[in-house]
Amino acid sequence: MRDLSGHRKSLGFFYLFVHALMLLATGAMAYLTAALGFVAAAGRSAPRLPAWENPWVLAMAAIFVVLLAASIAGLALGLGLVRGRRVSKGLATLLALVALPTFPLGTALGVYSLWFFSQEGWDAEPWSP
């Protein structure tokens, strides 16, 4: 069994980097969507449905919630890998498979993650003597 502690830390920092960018982009997208919604609503004089009853707004909110959950899960997984804690192979595989189509960072993260979690001894304690 080979020592994968260096790969474990590298993958953890990679998860932290990619999912911090994802969290930042999700926040920026939510802010811009809300700002454009307010600008569009200010130009209307006729009474309309409240924004939260619009199906497009509900769809955008659902997308933001999913992106936020994926970002937080990726950050938690990255912290667990960096700190040497036990992590869920299932969650890591799910996040890797979802990240694969997002070229180039997601593809690199997905391939590296799938490789790492398929190795024997990935779950060995990195700081054990």
Side-chain angles (χ1 to χ4, degrees), residues 22-105:
M22 186 175 167
L23 187 63
L24 183 66
T26 301
M29 199 166 61
Y31 175 77
L32 289 175
T33 302
L36 289 174
F38 286 129
V39 168
R44 303 220 183 251
S45 60
R48 299 192 41 103
L49 291 173
W52 56 88
E53 292 181 12
N54 186 336
W56 290 106
V57 172
L58 293 176
M60 287 186 300
I63 290 170
F64 293 138
V65 168
V66 168
L67 289 174
L68 182 67
S71 298
I72 293 171
L75 289 172
L77 184 69
L79 277 175
L81 286 169
V82 168
R83 291 180 177 173
R85 302 267 184 347
R86 292 190 144 302
V87 294
S88 169
K89 182 179 180 179
L91 175 64
T93 304
L94 177 67
L95 288 175
L97 291 174
V98 170
L100 278 174
T102 57
F103 185 79
L105 286 178

